[in-house]
């Protein structure tokens, strides 16, 4: 499945993507696939569980600081 206006592939997870991720996630029906290259090939994410946990923690901290 190719990228579309509501589907985005990211080969890796970078925390500087947070603001972009929030905006994309707020769009109706949008999906972000992390660990997939721009051609739709699964490339995986190193330390996925820890990185996702970190992302959630950073997201919560950011949300609190914005309110």
């Amino acid at each position: 499945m190719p990228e579309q206006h509501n589907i985005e592939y990211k080969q890796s997870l970078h925390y500087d993507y947070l603001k972009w991720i929030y905006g994309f996630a707020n769009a109706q029906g949008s999906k972000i696939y992390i660990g997939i290259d721009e051609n739709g090939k699964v490339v995986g994410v190193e330390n996925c569980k820890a990185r996702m946990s970190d992302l959630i923690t950073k997201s919560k901290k950011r949300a609190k600081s914005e309110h």
Side-chain angles (χ1 to χ4, degrees):
M1 169 178 16
E3 288 186 323
Q4 300 170 14
H5 73 279
N6 63 338
I7 296 174
E8 180 71 27
Y9 296 139
K10 291 295 177 196
Q11 194 164 339
S12 58
L13 176 61
H14 298 281
Y15 298 114
D16 55 328
Y17 289 168
L18 283 180
K19 197 170 192 176
W20 178 84
I21 288 171
Y22 296 151
F24 198 82
N26 284 328
Q28 186 174 350
S30 295
K31 295 180 182 181
I32 300 172
Y33 295 93
I34 299 171
I36 299 180
D37 70 14
E38 66 275 357
N39 297 312
K41 180 183 174 196
V42 176
V43 294
V45 176
E46 195 172 309
N47 300 319
C48 183
K49 231 180 199 179
R51 292 175 73 72
M52 292 307 292
S53 178
D54 247 9
L55 178 64
I56 292 167
T57 301
K58 288 178 188 289
S59 296
K60 287 179 181 179
K61 285 181 183 177
R62 182 180 174 116
K64 284 182 183 178
S65 71
E66 290 181 357
H67 291 284

